mmCIF file of all heavy atoms in Angstrom:
data_model
loop_
_atom_site.group_PDB
_atom_site.id
_atom_site.type_symbol
_atom_site.label_atom_id
_atom_site.label_comp_id
_atom_site.label_asym_id
_atom_site.label_seq_id
_atom_site.Cartn_x
_atom_site.Cartn_y
_atom_site.Cartn_z
ATOM 1 N N GLY S 171 0.732 -1.220 -0.053
ATOM 2 C CA GLY S 171 0.053 -0.011 -0.026
ATOM 3 C C GLY S 171 0.841 1.271 0.026
ATOM 4 O O GLY S 171 0.449 2.280 -0.535
ATOM 5 N N GLY S 172 1.962 1.210 0.608
ATOM 6 C CA GLY S 172 2.909 2.333 0.585
ATOM 7 C C GLY S 172 3.714 2.492 -0.674
ATOM 8 O O GLY S 172 4.348 3.516 -0.931
ATOM 9 N N GLY S 173 3.575 1.503 -1.536
ATOM 10 C CA GLY S 173 4.329 1.575 -2.794
ATOM 11 C C GLY S 173 3.536 2.195 -3.954
ATOM 12 O O GLY S 173 3.981 3.129 -4.565
ATOM 13 N N CYS S 174 2.270 1.772 -4.123
ATOM 14 C CA CYS S 174 1.428 2.322 -5.115
ATOM 15 C C CYS S 174 -0.008 2.037 -4.777
ATOM 16 O O CYS S 174 -0.397 0.895 -4.791
ATOM 17 C CB CYS S 174 1.748 1.699 -6.479
ATOM 18 S SG CYS S 174 0.598 2.169 -7.829
ATOM 19 N N GLY S 175 -0.761 3.194 -4.388
ATOM 20 C CA GLY S 175 -2.119 2.922 -3.868
ATOM 21 C C GLY S 175 -3.028 2.362 -4.910
ATOM 22 O O GLY S 175 -3.863 1.500 -4.568
ATOM 23 N N ALA S 176 -2.907 2.688 -6.242
ATOM 24 C CA ALA S 176 -3.875 2.200 -7.201
ATOM 25 C C ALA S 176 -3.628 0.627 -7.421
ATOM 26 O O ALA S 176 -4.583 -0.094 -7.489
ATOM 27 C CB ALA S 176 -3.659 2.969 -8.450
ATOM 28 N N THR S 177 -2.389 0.286 -7.466
ATOM 29 C CA THR S 177 -2.085 -1.178 -7.616
ATOM 30 C C THR S 177 -2.555 -1.900 -6.409
ATOM 31 O O THR S 177 -3.143 -3.036 -6.515
ATOM 32 C CB THR S 177 -0.522 -1.378 -7.863
ATOM 33 O OG1 THR S 177 -0.181 -0.670 -9.057
ATOM 34 C CG2 THR S 177 -0.285 -2.836 -8.109
ATOM 35 N N PHE S 178 -2.236 -1.337 -5.268
ATOM 36 C CA PHE S 178 -2.673 -1.995 -3.995
ATOM 37 C C PHE S 178 -4.140 -2.150 -3.940
ATOM 38 O O PHE S 178 -4.688 -3.259 -3.476
ATOM 39 C CB PHE S 178 -2.069 -1.153 -2.839
ATOM 40 C CG PHE S 178 -2.696 -1.599 -1.506
ATOM 41 C CD1 PHE S 178 -2.202 -2.828 -0.976
ATOM 42 C CD2 PHE S 178 -3.716 -0.912 -0.880
ATOM 43 C CE1 PHE S 178 -2.722 -3.258 0.276
ATOM 44 C CE2 PHE S 178 -4.198 -1.414 0.416
ATOM 45 C CZ PHE S 178 -3.721 -2.495 0.914
ATOM 46 N N PHE S 179 -4.907 -1.192 -4.392
ATOM 47 C CA PHE S 179 -6.393 -1.217 -4.233
ATOM 48 C C PHE S 179 -6.962 -2.377 -5.041
ATOM 49 O O PHE S 179 -7.790 -3.044 -4.584
ATOM 50 C CB PHE S 179 -6.953 0.173 -4.700
ATOM 51 C CG PHE S 179 -8.335 0.412 -4.191
ATOM 52 C CD1 PHE S 179 -8.787 -0.031 -3.047
ATOM 53 C CD2 PHE S 179 -9.218 0.980 -5.146
ATOM 54 C CE1 PHE S 179 -10.084 0.207 -2.587
ATOM 55 C CE2 PHE S 179 -10.570 1.277 -4.711
ATOM 56 C CZ PHE S 179 -10.951 0.895 -3.464
ATOM 57 N N VAL S 180 -6.388 -2.602 -6.323
ATOM 58 C CA VAL S 180 -6.886 -3.751 -7.110
ATOM 59 C C VAL S 180 -6.385 -5.010 -6.395
ATOM 60 O O VAL S 180 -7.182 -6.026 -6.256
ATOM 61 C CB VAL S 180 -6.325 -3.590 -8.504
ATOM 62 C CG1 VAL S 180 -6.557 -4.855 -9.298
ATOM 63 C CG2 VAL S 180 -7.014 -2.367 -9.146
ATOM 64 N N TRP S 181 -5.120 -5.047 -6.088
ATOM 65 C CA TRP S 181 -4.593 -6.297 -5.464
ATOM 66 C C TRP S 181 -5.200 -6.772 -4.197
ATOM 67 O O TRP S 181 -5.489 -7.844 -3.971
ATOM 68 C CB TRP S 181 -3.035 -6.063 -5.256
ATOM 69 C CG TRP S 181 -2.318 -7.077 -4.661
ATOM 70 C CD1 TRP S 181 -1.762 -8.238 -5.189
ATOM 71 C CD2 TRP S 181 -1.703 -7.081 -3.290
ATOM 72 N NE1 TRP S 181 -0.992 -8.955 -4.220
ATOM 73 C CE2 TRP S 181 -0.958 -8.207 -3.103
ATOM 74 C CE3 TRP S 181 -1.903 -6.136 -2.207
ATOM 75 C CZ2 TRP S 181 -0.340 -8.508 -1.927
ATOM 76 C CZ3 TRP S 181 -1.222 -6.490 -1.009
ATOM 77 C CH2 TRP S 181 -0.500 -7.616 -0.907
ATOM 78 N N ALA S 182 -5.564 -5.791 -3.354
ATOM 79 C CA ALA S 182 -6.154 -6.011 -2.045
ATOM 80 C C ALA S 182 -7.573 -6.667 -2.134
ATOM 81 O O ALA S 182 -7.874 -7.527 -1.264
ATOM 82 C CB ALA S 182 -6.262 -4.808 -1.256
ATOM 83 N N GLN S 183 -8.372 -6.263 -3.134
ATOM 84 C CA GLN S 183 -9.655 -6.867 -3.344
ATOM 85 C C GLN S 183 -9.587 -8.349 -3.558
ATOM 86 O O GLN S 183 -10.445 -9.150 -3.120
ATOM 87 C CB GLN S 183 -10.464 -6.188 -4.398
ATOM 88 C CG GLN S 183 -10.412 -4.684 -4.562
ATOM 89 C CD GLN S 183 -10.900 -4.019 -3.365
ATOM 90 O OE1 GLN S 183 -12.057 -4.419 -2.861
ATOM 91 N NE2 GLN S 183 -10.240 -3.008 -2.762
ATOM 92 N N HIS S 184 -8.630 -8.772 -4.246
ATOM 93 C CA HIS S 184 -8.387 -10.180 -4.739
ATOM 94 C C HIS S 184 -8.268 -11.127 -3.489
ATOM 95 O O HIS S 184 -8.830 -12.243 -3.547
ATOM 96 C CB HIS S 184 -7.121 -10.228 -5.533
ATOM 97 C CG HIS S 184 -6.674 -11.606 -5.948
ATOM 98 N ND1 HIS S 184 -7.147 -12.115 -7.160
ATOM 99 C CD2 HIS S 184 -5.833 -12.521 -5.400
ATOM 100 C CE1 HIS S 184 -6.560 -13.307 -7.299
ATOM 101 N NE2 HIS S 184 -5.860 -13.594 -6.221
ATOM 102 N N HIS S 185 -7.716 -10.729 -2.454
ATOM 103 C CA HIS S 185 -7.363 -11.638 -1.373
ATOM 104 C C HIS S 185 -8.690 -12.116 -0.574
ATOM 105 O O HIS S 185 -8.744 -13.239 -0.037
ATOM 106 C CB HIS S 185 -6.379 -11.040 -0.341
ATOM 107 C CG HIS S 185 -5.054 -10.681 -1.001
ATOM 108 N ND1 HIS S 185 -4.325 -11.661 -1.652
ATOM 109 C CD2 HIS S 185 -4.430 -9.486 -1.015
ATOM 110 C CE1 HIS S 185 -3.262 -11.038 -2.154
ATOM 111 N NE2 HIS S 185 -3.364 -9.704 -1.816
ATOM 112 N N GLY S 186 -9.647 -11.219 -0.507
ATOM 113 C CA GLY S 186 -10.881 -11.645 0.122
ATOM 114 C C GLY S 186 -11.576 -12.774 -0.637
ATOM 115 O O GLY S 186 -12.141 -13.643 -0.041
ATOM 116 N N VAL S 187 -11.490 -12.796 -1.994
ATOM 117 C CA VAL S 187 -12.080 -13.851 -2.767
ATOM 118 C C VAL S 187 -11.282 -15.138 -2.569
ATOM 119 O O VAL S 187 -11.900 -16.209 -2.470
ATOM 120 C CB VAL S 187 -12.114 -13.401 -4.219
ATOM 121 C CG1 VAL S 187 -12.912 -14.422 -5.030
ATOM 122 C CG2 VAL S 187 -12.718 -11.948 -4.445
ATOM 123 N N VAL S 188 -9.987 -15.014 -2.487
ATOM 124 C CA VAL S 188 -9.145 -16.173 -2.268
ATOM 125 C C VAL S 188 -9.572 -16.811 -0.844
ATOM 126 O O VAL S 188 -9.727 -18.049 -0.814
ATOM 127 C CB VAL S 188 -7.636 -15.840 -2.205
ATOM 128 C CG1 VAL S 188 -6.812 -16.997 -1.803
ATOM 129 C CG2 VAL S 188 -7.252 -15.397 -3.672
ATOM 130 N N ARG S 189 -9.678 -16.015 0.185
ATOM 131 C CA ARG S 189 -10.078 -16.449 1.465
ATOM 132 C C ARG S 189 -11.400 -17.183 1.489
ATOM 133 O O ARG S 189 -11.612 -18.198 2.042
ATOM 134 C CB ARG S 189 -10.109 -15.356 2.607
ATOM 135 C CG ARG S 189 -8.675 -15.024 2.962
ATOM 136 C CD ARG S 189 -8.707 -13.967 4.163
ATOM 137 N NE ARG S 189 -9.232 -12.715 3.770
ATOM 138 C CZ ARG S 189 -8.512 -11.647 3.390
ATOM 139 N NH1 ARG S 189 -7.256 -11.751 3.242
ATOM 140 N NH2 ARG S 189 -9.094 -10.543 3.072
ATOM 141 N N ASP S 190 -12.359 -16.516 0.754
ATOM 142 C CA ASP S 190 -13.694 -17.140 0.697
ATOM 143 C C ASP S 190 -13.728 -18.487 0.078
ATOM 144 O O ASP S 190 -14.319 -19.462 0.440
ATOM 145 C CB ASP S 190 -14.648 -16.193 -0.075
ATOM 146 C CG ASP S 190 -15.281 -15.202 0.834
ATOM 147 O OD1 ASP S 190 -15.155 -15.272 2.063
ATOM 148 O OD2 ASP S 190 -15.952 -14.239 0.323
ATOM 149 N N LEU S 191 -12.966 -18.660 -1.135
ATOM 150 C CA LEU S 191 -12.926 -19.851 -1.839
ATOM 151 C C LEU S 191 -12.160 -20.920 -1.027
ATOM 152 O O LEU S 191 -12.418 -22.070 -1.044
ATOM 153 C CB LEU S 191 -12.251 -19.674 -3.279
ATOM 154 C CG LEU S 191 -13.119 -19.436 -4.388
ATOM 155 C CD1 LEU S 191 -12.367 -19.483 -5.716
ATOM 156 C CD2 LEU S 191 -14.282 -20.475 -4.399
ATOM 157 N N ALA S 192 -11.084 -20.438 -0.406
ATOM 158 C CA ALA S 192 -10.280 -21.454 0.411
ATOM 159 C C ALA S 192 -11.055 -22.162 1.601
ATOM 160 O O ALA S 192 -10.702 -23.234 1.973
ATOM 161 C CB ALA S 192 -9.004 -20.747 1.027
ATOM 162 N N THR S 193 -12.142 -21.410 2.066
ATOM 163 C CA THR S 193 -12.966 -21.962 3.143
ATOM 164 C C THR S 193 -14.280 -22.416 2.587
ATOM 165 O O THR S 193 -15.195 -22.751 3.439
ATOM 166 C CB THR S 193 -13.096 -20.947 4.204
ATOM 167 O OG1 THR S 193 -13.714 -19.752 3.718
ATOM 168 C CG2 THR S 193 -11.775 -20.576 4.849
ATOM 169 N N SER S 194 -14.441 -22.440 1.318
ATOM 170 C CA SER S 194 -15.806 -22.834 0.744
ATOM 171 C C SER S 194 -16.055 -24.285 0.784
ATOM 172 O O SER S 194 -15.077 -25.117 0.562
ATOM 173 C CB SER S 194 -15.927 -22.281 -0.709
ATOM 174 O OG SER S 194 -17.112 -22.736 -1.340
ATOM 175 N N ASP S 195 -17.291 -24.819 0.979
ATOM 176 C CA ASP S 195 -17.688 -26.074 0.834
ATOM 177 C C ASP S 195 -17.842 -26.566 -0.614
ATOM 178 O O ASP S 195 -17.896 -27.689 -0.862
ATOM 179 C CB ASP S 195 -19.055 -26.365 1.601
ATOM 180 C CG ASP S 195 -18.871 -26.267 3.168
ATOM 181 O OD1 ASP S 195 -17.749 -26.552 3.577
ATOM 182 O OD2 ASP S 195 -19.846 -25.987 3.843
ATOM 183 N N ASN S 196 -17.822 -25.581 -1.530
ATOM 184 C CA ASN S 196 -17.909 -25.881 -2.866
ATOM 185 C C ASN S 196 -16.499 -26.196 -3.356
ATOM 186 O O ASN S 196 -15.831 -25.382 -3.977
ATOM 187 C CB ASN S 196 -18.499 -24.638 -3.698
ATOM 188 C CG ASN S 196 -18.808 -24.948 -5.079
ATOM 189 O OD1 ASN S 196 -18.343 -25.952 -5.668
ATOM 190 N ND2 ASN S 196 -19.658 -24.182 -5.643
ATOM 191 N N THR S 197 -16.079 -27.406 -3.098
ATOM 192 C CA THR S 197 -14.689 -27.832 -3.534
ATOM 193 C C THR S 197 -14.434 -27.887 -4.941
ATOM 194 O O THR S 197 -13.301 -27.681 -5.326
ATOM 195 C CB THR S 197 -14.453 -29.270 -2.849
ATOM 196 O OG1 THR S 197 -15.406 -30.145 -3.279
ATOM 197 C CG2 THR S 197 -14.489 -29.109 -1.366
ATOM 198 N N ASP S 198 -15.476 -28.094 -5.752
ATOM 199 C CA ASP S 198 -15.232 -28.094 -7.202
ATOM 200 C C ASP S 198 -14.882 -26.661 -7.729
ATOM 201 O O ASP S 198 -13.963 -26.517 -8.555
ATOM 202 C CB ASP S 198 -16.444 -28.473 -8.001
ATOM 203 C CG ASP S 198 -16.738 -29.995 -7.790
ATOM 204 O OD1 ASP S 198 -15.842 -30.718 -7.443
ATOM 205 O OD2 ASP S 198 -17.928 -30.367 -7.954
ATOM 206 N N LEU S 199 -15.557 -25.628 -7.173
ATOM 207 C CA LEU S 199 -15.296 -24.269 -7.441
ATOM 208 C C LEU S 199 -13.851 -23.869 -7.045
ATOM 209 O O LEU S 199 -13.126 -23.286 -7.751
ATOM 210 C CB LEU S 199 -16.316 -23.376 -6.825
ATOM 211 C CG LEU S 199 -16.411 -21.907 -7.435
ATOM 212 C CD1 LEU S 199 -16.925 -21.947 -8.897
ATOM 213 C CD2 LEU S 199 -17.400 -21.078 -6.592
ATOM 214 N N ALA S 200 -13.510 -24.291 -5.866
ATOM 215 C CA ALA S 200 -12.223 -23.978 -5.253
ATOM 216 C C ALA S 200 -11.123 -24.656 -6.185
ATOM 217 O O ALA S 200 -10.045 -24.045 -6.406
ATOM 218 C CB ALA S 200 -12.115 -24.496 -3.918
ATOM 219 N N ALA S 201 -11.383 -25.885 -6.483
ATOM 220 C CA ALA S 201 -10.345 -26.716 -7.310
ATOM 221 C C ALA S 201 -10.184 -26.125 -8.669
ATOM 222 O O ALA S 201 -9.037 -26.056 -9.245
ATOM 223 C CB ALA S 201 -10.838 -28.096 -7.428
ATOM 224 N N GLU S 202 -11.164 -25.415 -9.179
ATOM 225 C CA GLU S 202 -11.148 -24.850 -10.624
ATOM 226 C C GLU S 202 -10.357 -23.565 -10.598
ATOM 227 O O GLU S 202 -9.502 -23.253 -11.433
ATOM 228 C CB GLU S 202 -12.505 -24.658 -11.093
ATOM 229 C CG GLU S 202 -12.526 -24.062 -12.544
ATOM 230 C CD GLU S 202 -13.938 -23.883 -13.167
ATOM 231 O OE1 GLU S 202 -14.866 -24.245 -12.384
ATOM 232 O OE2 GLU S 202 -14.039 -23.472 -14.279
ATOM 233 N N TYR S 203 -10.474 -22.715 -9.513
ATOM 234 C CA TYR S 203 -10.070 -21.350 -9.587
ATOM 235 C C TYR S 203 -8.925 -21.015 -8.655
ATOM 236 O O TYR S 203 -8.200 -20.026 -8.851
ATOM 237 C CB TYR S 203 -11.140 -20.369 -9.317
ATOM 238 C CG TYR S 203 -12.235 -20.362 -10.424
ATOM 239 C CD1 TYR S 203 -13.546 -20.697 -10.199
ATOM 240 C CD2 TYR S 203 -11.750 -19.984 -11.746
ATOM 241 C CE1 TYR S 203 -14.386 -20.603 -11.264
ATOM 242 C CE2 TYR S 203 -12.696 -19.902 -12.829
ATOM 243 C CZ TYR S 203 -14.063 -20.277 -12.525
ATOM 244 O OH TYR S 203 -14.966 -20.253 -13.502
ATOM 245 N N LEU S 204 -8.685 -21.722 -7.497
ATOM 246 C CA LEU S 204 -7.787 -21.231 -6.523
ATOM 247 C C LEU S 204 -6.338 -21.248 -7.061
ATOM 248 O O LEU S 204 -5.531 -20.255 -6.703
ATOM 249 C CB LEU S 204 -7.790 -22.162 -5.290
ATOM 250 C CG LEU S 204 -8.758 -21.748 -4.211
ATOM 251 C CD1 LEU S 204 -8.751 -22.623 -2.982
ATOM 252 C CD2 LEU S 204 -8.429 -20.329 -3.677
ATOM 253 N N ARG S 205 -5.945 -22.222 -7.743
ATOM 254 C CA ARG S 205 -4.474 -22.159 -8.262
ATOM 255 C C ARG S 205 -4.228 -21.001 -9.170
ATOM 256 O O ARG S 205 -3.260 -20.249 -8.905
ATOM 257 C CB ARG S 205 -4.108 -23.535 -8.974
ATOM 258 C CG ARG S 205 -2.670 -23.623 -9.283
ATOM 259 C CD ARG S 205 -2.303 -24.986 -9.724
ATOM 260 N NE ARG S 205 -2.352 -25.955 -8.572
ATOM 261 C CZ ARG S 205 -1.479 -26.160 -7.593
ATOM 262 N NH1 ARG S 205 -0.386 -25.377 -7.631
ATOM 263 N NH2 ARG S 205 -1.641 -27.001 -6.666
ATOM 264 N N PRO S 206 -5.061 -20.723 -10.211
ATOM 265 C CA PRO S 206 -4.771 -19.495 -11.037
ATOM 266 C C PRO S 206 -4.891 -18.181 -10.161
ATOM 267 O O PRO S 206 -4.251 -17.115 -10.508
ATOM 268 C CB PRO S 206 -5.610 -19.662 -12.179
ATOM 269 C CG PRO S 206 -6.683 -20.542 -11.774
ATOM 270 C CD PRO S 206 -6.109 -21.574 -10.786
#
């Protein structure tokens, strides 16, 4: 965030989706998307 606010703002949104998929019971969805 101290490096570039605009890049950080886009990058930061991404992690919440990763956390949600990582704890999802929809294992097929997680298996399809978590690695990329």
Side-chain angles (χ1 to χ4, degrees):
C174 172
T177 301
F178 171 72
F179 197 38
V180 168
W181 175 78
Q183 313 299 313
H184 176 88
H185 300 303
V187 190
V188 174
R189 283 190 292 269
D190 274 350
L191 267 190
T193 57
S194 175
D195 290 335
N196 190 341
T197 54
D198 289 340
L199 197 66
E202 181 176 0
Y203 291 121
L204 268 179
R205 187 168 293 279

